[in-house]
């Protein structure tokens, strides 16, 4: 709370203000997250392989390097989203006369809400594992 008088003038209880603030923060995060794809926010090996066409076992080192780069880009995107959300919430507080300042926004994790995406990703992994198993059986 940076301006107790503005907080006191809020038409409701402190719980109402907290609820309004949390609702606004969630809406802001969702808005900012929707500007990115799942593969940008939560990169998986399958995404990297599809993007870069790395398929053979010989390219495992190259794949690991690409995965690390994608994860670093993901961390940068998430940091930008957190900062943008903080700015958004401080602007909302100023515009709403809430007298509250956001010091930091931090996201613990990102989870997929769409079960079909999760099932599709599992099917891709199963398919890749089956292909690798057939390749290994052919060598034996």
């Amino acid at each position: 709370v940076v301006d107790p008088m503005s907080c006191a003038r809020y038409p409701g209880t402190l719980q109402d203000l907290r609820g309004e603030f949390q609702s606004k923060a969630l809406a802001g995060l969702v808005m900012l997250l929707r500007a990115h794809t799942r593969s940008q926010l939560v990169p998986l090996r399958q995404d990297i392989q599809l993007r870069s066409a790395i398929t053979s076992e010989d390219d495992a080192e190259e794949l690991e390097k690409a995965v690390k780069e994608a994860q670093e880009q993901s961390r940068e995107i998430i940091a930008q989203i957190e900062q943008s959300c903080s700015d958004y919430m401080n602007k909302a507080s100023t515009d709403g006369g809430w007298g509250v300042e956001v010091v930091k926004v931090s996201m613990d994790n990102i989870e997929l809400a769409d079960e079909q995406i999760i099932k599709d990703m599992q099917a891709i992994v199963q398919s890749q594992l089956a292909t690798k198993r057939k390749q290994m059986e052919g060598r034996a």
Side-chain angles (χ1 to χ4, degrees):
V1 174
V2 291
D3 185 6
M5 289 302 292
S6 293
C7 268
R9 282 190 222 118
Y10 182 77
T13 65
L14 183 58
Q15 284 300 105
D16 294 339
L17 177 59
R18 182 176 288 149
E20 178 78 18
F21 205 73
Q22 288 173 343
S23 173
K24 190 70 121 172
L26 182 60
L29 273 175
V30 168
M31 175 187 71
L32 292 166
L33 287 169
R34 284 188 176 167
H36 301 281
T37 64
R38 194 253 336 130
S39 64
Q40 290 173 321
L41 298 170
V42 185
L44 302 173
R45 278 187 167 24
Q46 294 87 350
D47 300 323
I48 311 307
Q49 285 178 322
L50 291 173
R51 259 189 276 158
S52 61
I54 299 173
T55 56
S56 71
E57 289 294 320
D58 300 331
D59 296 332
E61 187 175 305
E62 186 178 331
L63 177 62
E64 284 302 315
K65 183 179 176 185
V67 167
K68 288 187 189 299
E69 287 174 9
Q71 289 172 340
E72 181 59 33
Q73 289 173 351
S74 173
R75 281 191 286 277
E76 290 172 8
I77 290 170
I78 290 172
Q80 289 173 346
I81 289 171
E82 290 171 344
Q83 183 59 47
S84 295
C85 187
S86 177
D87 296 342
Y88 171 76
M89 291 306 301
N90 284 325
K91 181 167 177 18
S93 177
T94 301
D95 292 347
W98 294 339
V100 178
E101 179 184 13
V102 175
V103 176
K104 182 178 179 181
V105 172
S106 180
M107 290 188 291
D108 292 333
N109 63 359
I110 298 174
E111 295 179 6
L112 291 174
D114 189 347
E115 292 293 323
Q116 187 58 44
I117 293 173
I118 296 170
K119 289 177 185 175
D120 290 345
M121 287 174 33
Q122 288 173 343
I124 290 169
V125 170
Q126 293 296 330
S127 172
Q128 289 177 338
L129 289 173
T131 302
K132 286 182 181 183
R133 184 179 24 185
K134 287 180 184 176
Q135 288 174 348
M136 294 303 290
E137 288 172 356
R139 292 181 188 171

